[in-house]
Amino acid sequence: SNKTASGAGEEWHHARKTIRQLIECFDYSEWIMGNHCGRLLRQIASPLIPDDLKRLFADDSDKVHVSPYYFCNVVSSGINWRIIHPKSAGRDDPQIYASKLLMNIVMCHSHHWNYGKDRSGKYYAISGGCLVDESRLAYVATRDQKSFKHLLGATFIMYGKPYLVGEDTDFDTMKKLYK
């Protein structure tokens, strides 16, 4: 049986727990807005500012900054990256944004997990996957759909290069590579 959150309160509880665990893994995190933040704002029918989200979900931690924007720019070893969470969620959207913005893109929102370049071959165009068990999402668990499965994954940018990790990543081997 699929166990889904029964309401906003339970969903927020799980979100708080997960966000606090993630914060503990890093010295500093940048939280950008996404469609679920917009959903939260609609649920409570009140405008929130980033600091309110931080207090609600991250214990007002100094290790996280909540941005009012749906993107952030990252410079790693002098290489420019833009992490985005646009309204669109198409499979080819990272390539479109990389060509439009003329920079490396890691796109959230699509729930796809793929790695490529834009048409010019110059800029990375990545969909980093998501951190969610889709069988626990009511809108997925209660209705068959033809869309692609949510793929678990994340993207790390280190020394100017992207590293995608997913369900099948062999982290023991990765640790050996980066000692």
Side-chain angles (χ1 to χ4, degrees):
S1 81
N2 290 326
K3 172 83 171 110
T4 61
S6 62
E10 187 175 350
E11 187 175 331
W12 295 2
H13 165 74
H14 290 295
R16 268 192 297 276
K17 193 166 127 182
T18 302
I19 289 167
R20 289 170 185 169
Q21 287 173 340
L22 280 170
I23 289 168
E24 290 307 311
C25 295
F26 301 97
D27 295 333
Y28 176 79
S29 299
E30 186 73 23
W31 175 354
I32 63 174
M33 292 291 109
N35 57 303
H36 292 269
C37 297
R39 184 174 163 212
L40 168 66
L41 296 176
R42 285 189 306 277
Q43 284 175 335
I44 63 173
S46 175
L48 277 178
I49 58 172
D51 286 340
D52 294 328
L53 287 173
K54 186 174 171 179
R55 277 189 293 279
L56 274 171
F57 294 100
D59 281 339
D60 211 18
S61 171
D62 290 336
K63 293 174 63 174
V64 65
H65 173 258
V66 181
S67 169
Y69 301 103
Y70 288 75
F71 65 87
C72 72
N73 294 316
V74 173
V75 178
S76 175
S77 295
I79 309 294
N80 292 318
W81 289 84
R82 189 166 178 120
I83 315 305
I84 65 173
H85 195 295
K87 278 190 173 187
S88 62
R91 286 182 73 79
D92 297 325
D93 287 359
Q95 289 84 355
I96 293 166
Y97 286 111
S99 292
K100 179 182 178 182
L101 298 170
L102 301 177
M103 63 189 324
N104 299 302
I105 295 292
V106 177
M107 185 176 121
C108 309
H109 191 195
S110 70
H111 307 151
H112 301 298
W113 188 76
N114 55 39
Y115 176 101
K117 296 266 185 147
D118 76 326
R119 285 179 180 245
S120 73
K122 184 174 179 182
Y123 301 107
Y124 286 101
I126 296 169
S127 288
C130 57
L131 300 174
V132 64
D133 176 358
E134 76 170 9
S135 69
R136 300 182 86 182
L137 300 173
Y139 73 92
V140 175
T142 59
R143 161 184 269 176
D144 289 332
Q145 51 189 316
K146 63 181 181 175
S147 62
F148 288 90
K149 179 177 175 31
H150 292 64
L151 295 176
L152 295 177
T155 305
F156 294 93
I157 299 170
M158 298 183 302
Y159 311 111
K161 300 289 183 196
Y163 297 87
L164 267 70
V165 296
E167 291 181 87
D168 300 326
T169 299
D170 182 351
F171 288 101
D172 290 331
T173 299
M174 276 186 84
K175 279 193 278 188
K176 293 175 191 170
L177 293 171
Y178 293 101
K179 280 190 174 183

